[in-house]
Amino acid sequence: MGESNPDKMNSENLREDGNKHFKSGDYEAALSSYTKALKLSTDERDAAVLHRNRAACYLKLEDFEKAEKDASKAIGVDGGDVKALFRRSQALEKLGKSDLAILDLQRCLSLEPKNKVFQDAVRNLGVRAQEKVRFMSTTDSRVDQMFHILLDPEEKDVEKQQKAAQNLVVLAREDAGAEKIFQNDGVRLLQRMLNTKKSDMMLAALRTLVGLCTGHQSRTVSILSALGMETFCTVMAVDNEPISLAACSVLHAMFDALKEGMTKDIRGKEGAIVLDPSKELKSMIHHLLEMLTQPSVSSHGRENSLNLLIKVVPRKSLRDPNNGMTLWVIDNGLKKILEVGGSLEEIPGSLAVTETTRMSASVLLNKLFDDLKCDAERENFHKLCEDYVRSLFENHGMDGKLRAIQTVSCLLQGPFDAGNRTLELSGIMDSVIVLCASEREIDQQVAVEALIHAAGKAKRASFITANGVTLLKDIYKKNENDAIRIRALVGLCKLGSAGGTDFSMKQFAEGSTLKLAKQCRKWLCNESIQASTRRWAVEGLAYLTFDADVKEEFVEDKAAMEAMFKLAKSQDKTVIFAVASTLVNCTNSYDREEVDPQMLELAKYAKQHIPEEHPKDKKEFVETRVRKLLIAGVVSALACMVKNESPALTDSSRELISRVFLALVEKSEDRGNVVAQGGGKALIPLALEGTEIGKTKAAQALAKITITSNPEIAFPGERIYEVVRPLVSLLHLKCTGLQNFESLMALTNLAGISERLRSKIIKEKAVPMIEGYMFEEHEMIRVAATECMCNLAMSKEVRELFMVEGSDRLKLIVLYSGEDDERLRRAAAGTLAMLTSLEPKICQRITEVTAHWLEILQALLLSENIELQHRGAVLVLNMMSADKELAGKLMESEMFEILTVLAKNEGEEKKRPVFQAAQECLNKAVEYGLIKPNLTTESD
């Protein structure tokens, strides 16, 4: 007898394992077995079979490129291997190579002419190929036709042209359509459309280009090369807001395509393109920076350029170590951004700006500063700002001084530290005070705004109070220009609120703040004043509403609230921060430190200042204010503020809005109203982006809604899956016990809805954290975690964790079923009932994890709580059904007597489920022959 080859034997065993896995539908396991077998196989024929089998796995797993390669290797050994040929034809068809797929199928048919599967496949593939050719040819002709209609100078049918333009845009959104446009000389034709200078044509061309560039790196590079960045910048610079915005969208799509590379679904179609886009990106950003200071660029073009820079320059995540692009922009473009931030259209030769351009410049400066990694980088930023402001201030006369002060204001609204440093330059603050008394309106306006932004720190506020309050009062009382008066009023408001919520620290005489607030509300409601001026009235209220008397009067003034919400929904997004600040003050949703009573006594003894809470900031007043805001429509205003993407929606604004939402859902009866007005939808992005505090507050608001509302109604469709991640984030140890508890309650609700939601919770790595909270000292958190685990146990993945050898999970649940706390026992017993019902193997393990298992079961059945009795009875029934020997152990104990008593309580309706489960346990015992049937009961 010849010697057997152990490797060959092992290879054959692995192949058989692979076949078993494949038949049972576990294609990943089959693939693994075939791959291991291939490594051990020394026979060419065996290897060919393994490659053929692996091709079948890859087909099932939809990895068609690997399926084609493996099938080709098998065919290389045996050209007549029909299985391999058929599998390769399937892979080729999926890869879009229908012509090659048909050749393989025809070879199969020539080898087995009577095989019906091959006959049908050839016929079906032929039909599909013809359809594809027909579709492609019709698409080709449609593309030609559209461009002909759009570019024909004789075409007079406007409606026909509009339809062709719309069709072109729609076609470009699909990758196949975009590719057809691209292949049919589309880029040159789109350039011709741009050159017509007709608005409709240009918009259609730009929107089509967005489709061509989105997610496709090679087309983007080609389009950029053919049209040039100059073309897009020229179009974006036009004084036509929709066209400028459309050009901005094209460039945004280009940046994304270059930065992110290819999206998954396009990767196969586009092929493996290796490209380092940094050169193109730098060139594009250079052009955007140049646009900022070119006099010919429109105000919309300038703002769109800033907004693009905000989106594409700073790192998406601070975990990315490379902030090289930010440093490059600071070195090459910081002074250009500052020039926009300090621009004043009233001064001859200034750059054209919109109402929101300076806010965009502040946001960009802030994002650049936040993206710096070390003191040396920050010091360089400070120095560049100081040099620029000093040069303007000292070398360009009166107008230069004015622009320097405006630049300081821009910095104070952005990177506050840089603003403070420039404010402290020699002569700046004195000039601000002097300009307040100037006769030129623009001087007064700029100086007052600078005072408002400068009065942020208590030290500086007291300096300005000493030097500027008289001037501001003078301007407010005597100036005839509302735009300046309202700014002077805001300056007074900010100084008047320097004590914050501290009732005892008031800068002005009793009643002054109420008078200022009344005037702010009056201006806010006066629609004859332009919105950009009325915005300052909200700024004033943002400061004054630190005072509880002002809050109370504001929520009584329905017209003022509605006027503010209308402004919040308007195109002017610079008002977002002021509205959010006012609402945070009215709802008292700012952070308040709880004062330690002992420290308070010490402070009094040392004669230190002690903050005092206003009597109208007590809980009942706050709740009433919240109710009035809800009635006035605060939720729809907040939802609108979140929905419209704008540079003004900064992370700090998001945090303020999140704080307000959390205050609005504090009372469970208000949550349905918040959801109905779009609050649930608005909270999801707030919980995923922004500051850590903001995300946590929004996640907690989501948790409160999920606990008391039906989650499927509150978050319809796919939105419900987006709620999971924010809720899981509240399980982290950095969160408070209340946040942990509310997250567990909300996740319990979600876990009870569907397997897909349970999978999402598991995928977000929540299970280990939930397990951790099952050991928490606080009993409510412990119960909530156990209840959550009970619902998650419906998922096989979680049940398997309870079957892991050497784990104490099952032991903990069994012991919790015997605890004193009824809610904990109910949750634990429910988990055990679920586990034993779905995994009978667990029944035997219950008897092994603790010697007290039997008395715990008996205690459940003897409980006065019907729910605990029912869970216990179901648990015993599951254990008896799982194993006859285990049933014998149970019947030998006192369990038999307990079940007999429970099985007699048929009369009481509420005890019926317990009676039925107990009866089934006894029937099971009879079936096993462990007890005899009760003849008396039967005859009765």
Side-chain angles (χ1 to χ4, degrees), residues 456-558:
K457 300 268 169 150
K459 188 177 80 173
R460 191 164 290 115
S462 55
F463 165 81
I464 297 166
T465 306
N467 296 275
V469 166
T470 314
L471 277 169
L472 288 173
K473 281 183 178 175
D474 232 33
I475 292 169
Y476 174 58
K477 285 174 183 172
K478 295 174 184 173
N479 205 299
E480 291 175 13
N481 183 327
D482 275 346
I484 293 169
R485 284 189 71 214
I486 203 165
R487 284 165 173 81
L489 176 63
V490 172
L492 291 168
C493 293
K494 189 164 187 181
L495 294 167
S497 67
T501 55
D502 183 353
F503 181 46
S504 64
M505 269 192 79
K506 293 297 162 201
Q507 297 273 4
F508 297 143
E510 187 69 34
S512 296
T513 46
L514 283 170
K515 281 180 191 169
L516 294 173
K518 190 176 180 182
Q519 185 59 51
C520 281
R521 296 202 312 273
K522 191 175 166 186
W523 259 315
L524 182 57
C525 297
N526 186 350
E527 294 204 5
S528 64
I529 301 173
Q530 63 187 102
S532 59
T533 301
R534 282 192 293 132
R535 169 175 73 81
W536 284 95
V538 186
E539 294 270 352
L541 288 169
Y543 301 123
L544 292 172
T545 46
F546 280 122
D547 186 318
D549 287 315
V550 174
K551 300 178 201 185
E552 287 294 309
E553 285 196 1
F554 178 68
V555 296
E556 288 299 329
D557 189 341
K558 198 175 176 194

Side-chain angles (χ1 to χ4, degrees), residues 789-855:
M789 191 58 75
C790 178
N791 279 357
L792 284 171
M794 287 189 267
S795 176
K796 187 167 180 62
E797 204 173 321
V798 173
R799 293 198 301 273
E800 283 171 355
L801 294 173
F802 285 91
M803 293 190 279
V804 173
E805 291 292 335
S807 156
D808 282 338
R809 290 186 183 94
L810 188 61
K811 182 178 180 178
L812 181 71
I813 290 290
V814 175
L815 292 174
Y816 275 1
S817 300
E819 282 282 320
D820 292 335
D821 184 331
E822 254 188 28
R823 273 189 66 189
L824 183 59
R825 284 178 79 192
R826 202 163 61 227
T831 309
L832 277 182
M834 179 75 67
L835 289 169
T836 51
S837 170
L838 297 169
E839 298 291 344
K841 286 179 277 185
I842 285 178
C843 294
Q844 181 58 44
R845 288 204 57 203
I846 287 174
T847 66
E848 297 162 8
V849 292
T850 171
H852 303 290
W853 68 274
L854 191 54
E855 61 191 79

Side-chain angles (χ1 to χ4, degrees), residues 538 564-570 572-583 633-646 648-650 653-654 656-658 660-661 682 686:
V538 186
M564 186 172 84
F565 297 156
K566 193 174 176 184
L567 266 184
K569 295 176 185 178
S570 70
D572 181 4
K573 295 300 158 207
T574 54
V575 78
I576 287 176
F577 189 82
V579 171
S581 300
T582 304
L583 292 171
V634 66
V635 177
S636 57
L638 290 172
C640 207
M641 285 155 72
V642 174
K643 186 173 65 180
N644 294 330
E645 203 178 309
S646 156
L649 187 63
T650 56
S653 296
R654 286 174 184 277
L656 293 174
I657 295 168
S658 299
V660 178
F661 266 125
L686 290 172

Side-chain angles (χ1 to χ4, degrees), residues 59 64-65 67-68 85-105 120-132:
L59 280 172
F64 303 117
E65 285 182 10
E68 183 206 350
L85 282 162
F86 185 60
R87 282 166 195 169
R88 187 168 74 175
S89 76
Q90 290 175 294
L92 287 165
E93 188 196 349
K94 292 291 184 183
L95 290 167
K97 301 172 184 176
S98 303
D99 46 347
L100 296 174
I102 282 183
L103 291 175
D104 276 352
L105 278 175
D120 290 346
V122 168
R123 188 163 50 251
N124 292 337
L125 187 57
V127 169
R128 283 198 293 274
Q130 283 177 345
E131 282 174 356
K132 192 172 179 185

Side-chain angles (χ1 to χ4, degrees), residues 80 138 162 206 311 367 459 530 532 639 786 892 904 908:
T138 56
Q162 285 174 343
L206 291 164
K311 287 169 185 167
K367 281 192 172 282
K459 188 177 80 173
Q530 63 187 102
S532 59
T786 311
E892 286 164 13
K904 288 177 180 172
E908 291 183 53

